[in-house]
Amino acid sequence: MDLTETEISNNPVFEGKLIDLKVETVSLPNGKTATREIVKHPDASAAIAINSEKKMLLVKQWREPIKQVTLEIPAGLIDPTDNSPLDAMKRELNEEGGYKAEYWEKVTEFYPSPGFSDEKLYLFYCDTLTKLEEEDKRPLDEDEFLTQEWYSLDELKQLIAQGKIVDGKTVTAIMFWENMLLTGQQNND
Amino acid sequence: MDLTETEISNNPVFEGKLIDLKVETVSLPNGKTATREIVKHPDASAAIAINSEKKMLLVKQWREPIKQVTLEIPAGLIDPTDNSPLDAMKRELNEEGGYKAEYWEKVTEFYPSPGFSDEKLYLFYCDTLTKLEEEDKRPLDEDEFLTQEWYSLDELKQLIAQGKIVDGKTVTAIMFWENMLLTGQQNND
């Protein structure tokens, strides 16, 4: 069965600072038509960052769409000036964490909400962290405010069970890290 | 540090069939203002559905925002007529899978994209599946077309590594299932 939908027309509704919205009319596999509301969003990078005490770096920040403070892994949009998703993540680890990491590994990439958005997320793992000197630190975006916390795997699993970690990419990252530890795939350098 | 942002004003930009878009002006922790582009999206349920051969049910469907066919766990929006996220998932497993399940367990809940959307996803685990009789099956939505496939954990991990599973909730679900198997938490009834 050919599941392909074919774009017939495309109505741009909104162009914002972060996202654009369009309404597409598509032709369905049965020849009928339907509309699809689509949010264009820049791609992003995120990282599982583990320190020498085997704790994961999380950042606390306000998320206005859900009107609450969340605990999330460090992450950020990929800028046109970044050479790659990995470069973007190294920059974000500097800006949001004040750290650089010796060891980096690509974990996976996925679309958080392919039903309505084209946002793609690149997930990395890093460890062997060192705190940056003041002069090497880059500033946060001017509308960005956050604080840092470090948690062990046991604490992270409890925070998920208690409903205190509710960010999708962070839940995914914790499960990947636990499975890396359970199957002995973590970096032991 | 108080990270709270306070809504000052709220400009509705678009009201669609699936999503609404608004632009909020907020007061930042430092007293300055910023705008936040926010997509309102209904909550959804999704399920890790495992058959007696220890294979997971995936559905193949076209996703117009990323213009490709995806492999995803069964999932769907929670309707006003559903009594709960679990009820919504039972309905979706009927509609998208043609199955009912004896054993159900809540796995977790999370926001796939809290940076720009309020969508919340409830993830369940189920097994002890039975194929529904024709007369008990509910129809798919009229603009919904999909086919079913079943995969073992090893196959699923390969599909992720090959970039053939790119849906965030499905990656999360596979990690949770692997973790349940590694830690011996699966249902053995």
Side-chain angles (χ1 to χ4, degrees):
Chain A
M1 181 179 176
D2 183 5
L3 300 163
T4 310
E5 298 179 3
T6 311
E7 182 179 332
I8 296 172
S9 64
N10 176 341
N11 177 26
V13 172
F14 174 78
E15 288 191 16
K17 194 171 47 117
L18 175 66
I19 59 179
D20 299 341
L21 173 66
K22 61 177 180 171
V23 179
E24 275 189 26
T25 302
V26 297
S27 161
L28 297 172
N30 65 359
K32 295 190 177 175
T33 59
T35 57
R36 303 289 182 222
E37 298 157 8
I38 296 172
V39 173
K40 308 290 277 181
H41 185 288
D43 294 343
S45 292
I48 301 168
I50 308 296
N51 72 10
S52 58
E53 295 172 339
K54 299 273 173 216
K55 293 193 170 188
M56 185 187 283
L57 174 61
L58 295 187
V59 295
K60 253 184 147 159
Q61 63 193 308
W62 182 260
R63 290 300 199 179
E64 183 62 14
I66 59 173
K67 293 202 188 289
Q68 60 179 271
V69 171
T70 58
L71 273 171
E72 302 184 22
I73 55 173
L77 304 180
I78 300 172
D79 289 341
T81 56
D82 294 316
N83 290 315
S84 67
L86 177 58
D87 271 1
M89 191 57 237
K90 288 180 175 173
R91 180 179 52 70
E92 288 293 341
L93 188 66
N94 176 331
E95 291 174 13
E96 295 199 345
Y99 287 91
K100 67 175 177 178
E102 210 58 42
Y103 178 83
W104 286 91
E105 193 180 301
K106 166 87 174 287
V107 176
T108 193
E109 54 191 72
F110 56 84
Y111 297 92
S113 299
F116 72 98
S117 169
D118 68 345
E119 181 193 12
K120 187 173 194 174
L121 189 86
Y122 296 84
L123 181 63
F124 297 93
Y125 169 91
C126 65
D127 62 22
T128 329
L129 303 175
T130 47
K131 192 94 191 143
L132 290 166
E133 301 294 329
E134 257 337 294
E135 68 264 27
D136 295 325
K137 280 191 207 166
R138 295 170 47 99
L140 284 169
D141 295 341
E142 58 172 21
D143 63 350
E144 198 173 27
F145 298 84
L146 48 85
T147 59
Q148 289 176 21
E149 304 194 349
W150 294 89
Y151 292 102
S152 69
L153 179 62
D154 283 350
E155 290 167 335
L156 292 167
K157 293 202 72 178
Q158 263 196 309
L159 288 166
I160 293 177
Q162 292 165 349
K164 289 179 181 161
I165 290 180
V166 295
D167 169 52
K169 67 181 173 299
T170 305
V171 172
T172 310
I174 292 165
M175 298 316 294
F176 263 104
W177 186 40
E178 179 170 27
N179 291 357
M180 287 167 81
L181 294 173
L182 286 168
T183 57
Q185 286 169 40
Q186 81 275 28
N187 173 36
N188 284 315
D189 296 349
Chain B
M1 181 179 176
D2 183 2
L3 299 164
T4 310
E5 299 179 1
T6 310
E7 182 180 333
I8 296 171
S9 65
N10 178 341
N11 177 27
V13 172
F14 174 77
E15 288 192 15
K17 194 173 48 118
L18 176 66
I19 60 179
D20 299 339
L21 173 66
K22 61 178 179 170
V23 179
E24 276 190 25
T25 302
V26 297
S27 161
L28 298 172
N30 65 0
K32 295 188 179 177
T33 60
T35 57
R36 302 289 182 222
E37 298 158 8
I38 296 171
V39 172
K40 307 290 276 181
H41 185 288
D43 293 344
S45 291
I48 301 168
I50 308 296
N51 73 7
S52 58
E53 295 173 340
K54 299 275 176 215
K55 293 193 170 189
M56 185 187 282
L57 175 60
L58 295 187
V59 295
K60 252 182 145 161
Q61 63 191 309
W62 182 261
R63 290 301 199 178
E64 183 61 14
I66 58 173
K67 293 200 188 289
Q68 60 179 272
V69 171
T70 58
L71 274 171
E72 302 185 22
I73 55 173
L77 304 180
I78 301 172
D79 288 342
T81 56
D82 296 315
N83 290 314
S84 65
L86 176 58
D87 273 0
M89 192 57 237
K90 289 179 175 173
R91 181 179 51 70
E92 289 292 340
L93 187 66
N94 177 331
E95 292 173 12
E96 297 200 343
Y99 287 91
K100 67 174 177 178
E102 210 59 43
Y103 179 83
W104 286 92
E105 193 179 301
K106 166 87 175 285
V107 176
T108 193
E109 55 191 71
F110 56 84
Y111 297 92
S113 299
F116 72 97
S117 169
D118 68 345
E119 181 192 12
K120 188 173 190 173
L121 189 86
Y122 296 83
L123 180 63
F124 297 94
Y125 169 92
C126 64
D127 62 24
T128 330
L129 302 177
T130 46
K131 191 95 191 143
L132 289 167
E133 300 296 327
E134 256 339 293
E135 69 264 28
D136 295 327
K137 279 192 206 165
R138 295 170 48 100
L140 285 169
D141 295 342
E142 60 171 21
D143 62 353
E144 199 173 26
F145 299 84
L146 49 84
T147 59
Q148 290 176 22
E149 304 193 349
W150 294 90
Y151 293 102
S152 69
L153 179 62
D154 283 349
E155 290 166 336
L156 292 166
K157 293 197 71 177
Q158 262 196 309
L159 288 167
I160 293 177
Q162 293 165 348
K164 289 177 182 163
I165 290 180
V166 295
D167 169 53
K169 67 180 171 305
T170 304
V171 173
T172 310
I174 293 166
M175 289 297 115
F176 265 102
W177 188 38
E178 176 175 30
N179 193 268
M180 288 167 81
L181 295 173
L182 286 169
T183 59
Q185 288 169 43
Q186 81 276 26
N187 172 37
N188 284 315
D189 295 351

